[in-house]
Amino acid sequence: MLRVTDAAGRRRTAGRVALLLVGLIAFSAVSPVETARAVDSWEPITGTGSTWSQNAIAHWRTDVAQDDGIVVNYSGVGSTAGRRDFIQGAVDFAVSELPFQPNPEDGSAPEVPPRGYTYVPLVAGGTAFMYHLKIDGQRVTDLRLSGETITKIFAGAITNWNDPAIQADNPGLVMPDKEIVPVVRSDWSGSTAQFTGWMSTQYPSIWPHGATQRFPTPANGKAQAGSSGVAGYVSQGYGDGAITYVENSYALEAGFPAAKVLNEAGYYVAPTAPAVSIALLGAQTDAQGVQQLAGVYNSLDARAYPLSTYSYMIVPTEVGGVFTENKGRTLGAVASYAVCEGQQRADALGYAPLPINLVQEASSRIASIPGASGFELQGCANPTFAPGDTITSNMLLATAPSPSESDRDARPTVPENGSALSVSVVTTNVFALVASLTDIDLGEVRRNRVTTGHELGDIRVIDDRDHLTGWDLRIDVHDFVHTADAAKTIRSSALGYAPTATSLLPGIALGSPQEAGSANYSAPLASGEPDSWTTEDGFALGAELNLRAPISAQAGTYRSTLTLTLLPR
């Protein structure tokens, strides 16, 4: 695994960057690009699978039928049935929240397609915690829960709404003495697999059951079939005290709130479309296209909703069964529409637009469909980016709203010893670090002049994975926001840095310095080739931080977050 430690080898919870600054940030609007469509005939295609994605697919089917005369037949029979239909060659594509299962939980035969296939990112959304709770007869609409608290609720370890852990998440409420009724899915469910997978990854000591498609009903809980079943139970009058996990679109449809969940940056965030899309910028995939969500669960972007995910369109890369190359041309066009222009409707449907990294992934995989032509990002009318945008600089990153400071976890996050460096473990493969800076008093700093003297601190990288492939250590800085007036901001580009090292070992290279006032984030701090890492003694990475306060700066305290993320290659 890859890991980051401070000079003493400690891992600590995330701190925050506080500076005395002021500024203004401006965004430019970019018109969406029209997606080119063929005008000749298309061969009808058929697919089965996910009910989670069905609402989005239904709208896309209507769109391509009206605009292009394309016929898409789709049945929401469940992800498992869709994967099996694909294996049997009975459909042209399947939609699923899960990849093919080598050892299905129900004891059935391994899911092994007889022809080539790949996974195309399709529908993004958040696993929401829809709840029904009243205090003194008034419905609660602003419930906040940490991941540990959620896991304990569904594991049966927390059974009452006035539990101290829930009260600590909600200091502004007097939680009632009322039994919690966790409502879970009684059927085999991709949503259950995603939720239990998150719990087993993040809180294995509380949820030791691993990822499962069928939820073991808690002693104090209720089990209902389907997303509509669990949402329906919570929304009824007898559902007071109940909470469930369900796609956010069902909570919106029922008119019931979803809890804000504490993310790794220390903010309680609701499963809104921007929060889900921001989190999914941390999604990665393996060679086959299977999602790796550790970077999503542990995103240090304050705007990220941690339980964000997406479904796949499983598409053939070889002709076989009912699938032909002519159908592949249609399938490629429909898939391209879905991940580009079709994403413009995601928010209204209770989903979230796929961000640029997943659209890039989709583009390369759609191109592998026999008969498909794929698409170029420049012509993709996806709402999260504009022509010329990149994964590290795009419309979504620039425009997604920040959470309110009132939703910041007020509990202490900096160690009592006052260290300016704190480390947070992110995953077995990705670790992140957050550094705190000393306040800068603008009364002592001449504006538009570079001030120096701040050190990031010693960082050591240790790569002890079984298969070493190298690593990259990146630095990122969020815009600075006035603590009293969120409308006053200064761009992160005001903070520059110069990478440092006590010595350079073979295979390790430092990134280029970023000039204060014109820095461009995210940026590389250092990189290492396979079999390269820093040693426990004598070598440490670091950086000198430089700040150029704008000439228009006024007195006041501004806060930003600086993060370092270590990524395996």
Side-chain angles (χ1 to χ4, degrees):
M1 64 181 174
L2 287 172
R3 65 176 182 267
V4 176
T5 67
D6 66 6
R10 293 166 293 196
R11 296 182 182 132
R12 308 194 186 109
T13 51
R16 293 181 177 80
V17 181
L19 299 178
L20 298 178
L21 298 173
V22 67
L24 178 64
I25 187 167
F27 304 114
S28 57
V30 180
S31 299
V33 179
E34 278 294 318
T35 301
R37 297 189 178 100
V39 295
D40 50 355
S41 60
W42 301 92
E43 189 160 348
I45 56 175
T46 299
T48 58
S50 169
T51 57
W52 188 81
S53 305
Q54 190 167 8
N55 288 343
I57 295 171
H59 283 272
W60 296 336
R61 290 176 56 203
T62 300
D63 291 345
V64 297
Q66 292 178 343
D67 297 343
D68 302 308
I70 297 177
V71 175
V72 180
N73 301 301
Y74 183 78
S75 299
V77 293
S79 294
T80 300
R83 296 193 304 272
R84 291 173 180 170
D85 287 344
F86 186 91
I87 291 171
Q88 294 167 4
V91 295
D92 303 303
F93 69 94
V95 179
S96 174
E97 285 78 63
L98 297 177
F100 289 110
Q101 302 294 293
N103 298 294
E105 288 181 67
D106 61 3
S108 59
E111 297 179 353
V112 182
R115 55 187 164 133
Y117 64 92
T118 193
Y119 300 103
V120 177
L122 186 66
V123 180
T127 298
F129 296 95
M130 175 182 169
Y131 65 94
H132 185 167
L133 180 64
K134 293 180 180 179
I135 298 177
D136 295 331
Q138 299 296 313
R139 189 194 294 180
V140 176
T141 59
D142 197 30
L143 183 70
R144 312 190 317 179
L145 297 171
S146 69
E148 181 176 349
T149 301
I150 290 169
T151 305
K152 287 182 176 179
I153 288 174
F154 284 91
I158 291 179
T159 59
N160 198 292
W161 283 106
N162 67 357
D163 188 276
I166 300 178
Q167 187 62 71
D169 287 328
N170 299 274
L173 298 175
V174 178
M175 301 306 295
D177 182 6
K178 181 181 297 184
E179 182 182 14
I180 299 174
V181 181
V183 183
V184 304
R185 292 281 291 269
S186 62
D187 51 334
W188 297 91
S189 164
S191 298
T192 297
Q194 289 169 342
F195 176 38
T196 55
W198 170 80
M199 290 194 293
S200 65
T201 298
Q202 303 301 101
Y203 306 98
S205 63
I206 304 172
W207 185 262
H209 312 293
T212 175
Q213 296 182 64
R214 194 158 194 172
F215 206 104
T217 307
N220 59 322
K222 299 288 184 180
Q224 302 289 316
S227 298
S228 58
V230 294
Y233 184 97
V234 173
S235 64
Q236 298 301 314
Y238 53 73
D240 187 15
I243 184 170
T244 191
Y245 59 93
V246 73
E247 300 85 358
N248 192 43
S249 59
Y250 284 87
L252 293 174
E253 185 178 39
F256 272 73
K260 295 178 179 179
V261 179
L262 184 64
N263 63 23
E264 286 293 316
Y267 286 83
Y268 294 91
V269 177
T272 63
V276 170
S277 298
I278 281 286
L280 287 174
L281 284 170
Q284 297 181 334
T285 59
D286 66 12
Q288 187 61 41
V290 176
Q291 59 187 220
Q292 310 293 311
L293 298 179
V296 176
Y297 298 158
N298 301 287
S299 172
L300 284 171
D301 193 310
R303 302 168 291 181
Y305 182 73
L307 281 93
S308 299
T309 188
Y310 62 92
S311 64
Y312 310 107
M313 174 182 273
I314 304 175
V315 298
T317 57
E318 297 175 355
V319 171
V322 299
F323 178 74
T324 65
E325 189 167 329
N326 283 339
K327 287 187 172 183
R329 176 173 168 268
T330 304
L331 181 57
V334 172
S336 297
Y337 173 81
V339 300
C340 289
E341 186 176 346
Q343 299 293 316
Q344 294 178 12
R345 304 183 67 177
D347 190 356
L349 296 173
Y351 300 103
L354 292 170
I356 187 171
N357 56 316
L358 295 180
V359 175
Q360 286 182 333
E361 177 82 9
S363 174
S364 64
R365 298 193 178 278
I366 291 171
S368 68
I369 301 173
S373 57
F375 64 89
E376 298 293 334
L377 286 182
Q378 289 293 99
C380 180
N382 181 288
T384 68
F385 61 90
D389 282 359
T390 66
I391 291 176
T392 58
S393 178
N394 54 70
M395 190 185 306
L396 172 65
L397 282 173
T399 60
S402 297
S404 169
E405 278 300 300
S406 64
D407 280 322
R408 183 168 63 89
D409 187 7
R411 288 168 286 191
T413 56
V414 179
E416 293 181 1
N417 61 17
S419 171
L421 190 65
S422 56
V423 177
S424 173
V425 176
V426 175
T427 73
T428 56
N429 280 329
V430 184
F431 287 81
L433 173 151
V434 178
S436 298
L437 305 181
T438 305
D439 287 352
I440 297 175
D441 187 347
L442 286 184
E444 300 175 1
V445 176
R446 297 185 64 182
R447 298 175 179 85
N448 208 29
R449 298 288 180 87
V450 176
T451 179
T452 60
H454 296 276
E455 297 286 341
L456 183 60
D458 290 345
I459 306 149
R460 290 188 172 90
V461 179
I462 301 172
D463 190 347
D464 57 6
R465 296 170 295 166
D466 292 335
H467 303 287
L468 305 181
T469 55
W471 51 269
D472 295 288
L473 185 61
R474 300 190 68 83
I475 186 170
D476 195 17
V477 179
H478 290 290
D479 289 338
F480 300 92
V481 179
H482 195 290
T483 57
D485 184 356
K488 295 179 180 179
T489 60
I490 184 171
R491 295 192 181 196
S492 60
S493 57
L495 188 70
Y497 70 90
T500 61
T502 54
S503 63
L504 277 180
L505 296 180
I508 295 181
L510 298 180
S512 301
Q514 291 285 326
E515 183 177 354
S518 59
N520 186 22
Y521 295 106
S522 75
L525 183 65
S527 61
E529 296 302 316
D531 294 314
S532 67
W533 56 85
T534 69
T535 59
E536 293 292 340
D537 53 348
F539 176 80
L541 301 168
E544 293 181 357
L545 304 175
N546 312 304
L547 178 74
R548 183 186 291 275
I551 196 168
S552 60
Q554 303 173 17
T557 300
Y558 288 71
R559 181 172 290 126
S560 177
T561 302
L562 180 151
T563 64
L564 292 177
T565 304
L566 181 64
L567 298 170
R569 292 181 184 168

